[in-house]
Amino acid sequence: MAETAGTAGTGRVDTVRLQMLAQAYQRSAALFAAVEIDLFTAVEKGAGSVEALAEALGISPRNAARIVPVLLALGLLERRDGRLANAADVQRFLVRGEPSYAGPWMLFTKPRWTEWGRLAEHLKAQDTRPLGMYESFTVDDARKYHQATYSVGMGAGRRFVREVDLAGRKKLLDLGGGSGAYSINAVQKWTGLRAVVFDLPPVAVVAREFIQQNGVADRVEAMAGDFTRDAFPPGCDVAVMASNLPQYDAAIIAEVIARTFAALAPGGEMHLIGEMLDDDGAGPIGPALWGLSEALFHSTGRAHTEAECLGYFRAAGFVDLTVKPFIPGVLTRVTGRKPG
Ligand SMILES: C[S@@+](CC[C@H](N)C(=O)[O-])C[C@H]1O[C@@H](n2cnc3c(N)ncnc32)[C@H](O)[C@@H]1O
């Protein structure tokens, strides 16, 4: 739903909402900095006051006194019994050392900071690079990128195996599988399942590291390939494609889905887990922004609506189509079955 025009409770249109939006980058900066200086970890370890935080972080009491009210106002910190404490999501995801630590994901888009500042110029540029940001991707880029995606991807992979029953399935094709988070979780749950993480050559190198680290190298392989043009491995009866939808235009996504249909065994199923827009195209804001961010890379990518995604599945020949929120407001799952 679109945000409504600001009236600040007076009934008259004012500038408050516009000012908040214009300065929203400062909120991102406060969160980035708090993660980078490990402020929330210090709070967890007992720094319950501005002075104690300043000492624990090695910053001046004045700077601690500057950032704490912002984090309180944003609801990232709370006061409990007169002491600073982390909000529940901060405690779970931003305390370093916890298995659920997702700091790298929170900083994932920070390298794009300068280019977002040049968005107006990017909007006027040519946008004809189908592979966008991946055109010059190196193994080092891929390693950094997937340390971040892994820190949330494992949670998404766990959610996928909770929601989707793959009992009896033999081989999973994980298109653009990145760290392999979905494949790793799937073979850990279904011991008869094998998986192929199909990703660009530098990413396949990094995927093998995560696969090894999770002790599933005997059942998950990483295959280097570009899903927009390279042949898919044979013998797969389930395919998942997660979190790369807005990086491509309609023609490419439709083609990838059609080629997946052709490659799947009869009776096989495909799950597209993507940042999808509502059918009226007016949000959610997250998927809309992922689509807009493609302008920074001059790619042909854009956000797709749920109805468009259903259309790609139908045109490919999939039946029994379903659409379900996967992470509400963030990711939607469209599923289809290849007739047996
Ligand atoms: C945001 S990551 C998501 C990774 C993983 N699916 C997950 O959800 O954790 C997007 C992935 O798609 C891969 N990808 C994008 N375009 C691709 C292409 N043309 N061929 C193969 N992989 C691609 C990227 O390399 C990256 O690993």
Side-chain angles (χ1 to χ4, degrees):
M1 196 180 70
E3 292 180 43
T4 48
T7 56
T10 62
R12 293 166 62 145
V13 174
D14 60 33
T15 61
V16 173
R17 175 180 75 126
L18 301 178
Q19 293 187 65
M20 293 290 180
L21 280 175
Q23 293 159 22
Y25 69 93
Q26 299 173 356
R27 301 168 193 224
S28 303
L31 174 62
F32 290 154
V35 171
E36 286 169 332
I37 64 178
D38 267 331
L39 186 147
F40 304 117
T41 309
V43 170
E44 157 63 15
K45 286 191 176 150
S49 66
V50 167
E51 298 70 27
L53 257 183
E55 187 169 343
L57 299 174
I59 63 175
S60 72
R62 196 182 347 258
N63 275 335
R66 285 177 168 132
I67 195 165
V68 164
V70 174
L71 300 176
L72 285 166
L74 291 174
L76 299 171
L77 290 179
E78 295 168 0
R79 273 198 227 284
R80 277 183 227 135
D81 302 327
R83 293 180 62 77
L84 294 172
N86 291 324
D89 52 354
V90 168
Q91 179 63 24
R92 175 135 182 231
F93 297 112
L94 295 182
V95 173
R96 195 183 286 274
E98 293 297 317
S100 52
Y101 182 65
W105 179 249
M106 298 309 142
L107 299 175
F108 180 67
T109 61
K110 190 184 165 206
R112 302 176 185 182
W113 174 278
T114 309
E115 295 310 314
W116 273 108
R118 298 179 55 234
L119 180 61
E121 289 163 60
H122 287 299
L123 288 175
K124 289 181 182 169
Q126 292 287 321
D127 51 356
T128 52
R129 299 166 68 207
L131 279 192
M133 64 173 291
Y134 297 117
E135 273 182 12
S136 52
F137 223 47
T138 65
V139 171
D140 275 350
D141 294 333
R143 197 168 282 118
K144 239 179 256 150
Y145 185 100
H146 286 298
Q147 266 156 10
T149 70
Y150 181 76
S151 70
V152 286
M154 286 302 273
R158 278 192 293 275
R159 184 178 292 228
F160 178 68
V161 301
R162 268 199 311 272
E163 289 186 5
V164 178
D165 184 2
L166 297 183
R169 292 295 187 195
K170 302 261 177 306
K171 194 167 165 189
L172 166 72
L173 171 59
D174 191 355
L175 288 167
S179 68
Y182 283 72
S183 294
I184 292 165
N185 277 285
V187 302
Q188 282 172 342
K189 175 150 181 188
W190 289 287
T191 48
L193 186 71
R194 306 179 73 81
V196 185
V197 175
F198 188 97
D199 210 306
L200 298 166
V203 181
V205 173
V206 173
R208 287 185 197 110
E209 297 168 0
F210 285 105
I211 291 165
Q212 192 78 35
Q213 187 184 308
N214 280 277
V216 290
D218 54 336
R219 285 188 298 131
V220 183
E221 66 176 291
M223 183 180 281
D226 173 350
F227 61 52
T228 67
R229 50 162 217 234
D230 293 328
F232 297 154
C236 295
D237 52 3
V238 51
V240 64
M241 177 159 153
S243 294
N244 42 35
L245 180 63
Q247 297 176 346
Y248 293 99
D249 68 12
I252 293 178
I253 294 293
E255 172 72 14
V256 174
I257 292 173
R259 291 198 303 111
T260 306
F261 179 87
L264 278 174
E269 68 197 65
M270 176 170 189
H271 303 268
L272 174 67
I273 297 174
E275 301 81 351
M276 288 174 212
L277 291 175
D278 297 338
D279 291 344
D280 66 4
I285 185 68
L289 285 169
W290 284 116
L292 180 58
S293 75
E294 286 303 309
L296 308 184
F297 308 112
H298 305 178
S299 87
T300 57
R302 64 160 175 88
H304 304 251
T305 64
E306 291 177 9
E308 284 180 302
C309 294
L310 281 169
Y312 309 144
F313 270 65
R314 212 171 280 121
F318 283 107
V319 296
D320 300 341
L321 306 186
T322 60
V323 186
K324 293 199 171 109
F326 185 64
I327 299 178
V330 181
L331 288 170
T332 303
R333 176 164 63 90
V334 169
T335 297
R337 186 178 59 78
K338 177 170 176 170

